[in-house]
Amino acid sequence: MYLVRHISILVSGRVQGVFFRATTKDKADGLGIKGFVSNAADGSVYIEAEGDPIQLAAFASWCRTGPPRAQVVDAIVTEGDLKYFTDFSIQ
């Protein structure tokens, strides 16, 4: 049976203006993750992601570093209810 889980990730640090959203989408697409990424008003990046637990673990691990110009201070991962996303988008 194929398991799908939902996680939310709040990434803080120097994560806006460094192509974090675009590279997050590339990483998600490469891993087969569905969901979205958006900038938050406080300067953080908010992500909702759904996929296989192994893919989600790899994705969350990548989010703790992000793209080369980012300086991630924290990435808080929480599990949630499935929303059944059909793709991964930038909001």
Side-chain angles (χ1 to χ4, degrees):
M1 181 177 175
Y2 180 73
L3 293 174
V4 176
R5 295 218 172 123
H6 176 99
I7 60 172
S8 298
I9 308 171
L10 184 62
V11 186
S12 61
R14 186 169 159 249
V15 293
Q16 290 189 14
V18 295
F19 300 100
F20 202 101
R21 290 181 302 157
T23 54
T24 298
K25 177 173 174 28
D26 290 344
K27 188 66 173 178
D29 288 345
L31 289 169
I33 301 290
K34 311 297 184 200
F36 70 86
V37 58
S38 63
N39 283 340
D42 66 359
S44 64
V45 168
Y46 179 71
I47 303 162
E48 290 198 26
E50 294 180 348
D52 172 276
I54 293 171
Q55 295 166 322
L56 287 175
F59 183 69
S61 178
W62 179 88
C63 289
R64 289 182 174 91
T65 304
R69 292 176 50 203
Q71 294 176 349
V72 176
V73 171
D74 199 7
I76 301 168
V77 179
T78 55
E79 290 200 36
D81 295 330
L82 286 174
K83 297 186 181 175
Y84 303 98
F85 296 111
T86 58
D87 63 0
F88 195 91
S89 63
I90 297 173
Q91 297 183 349

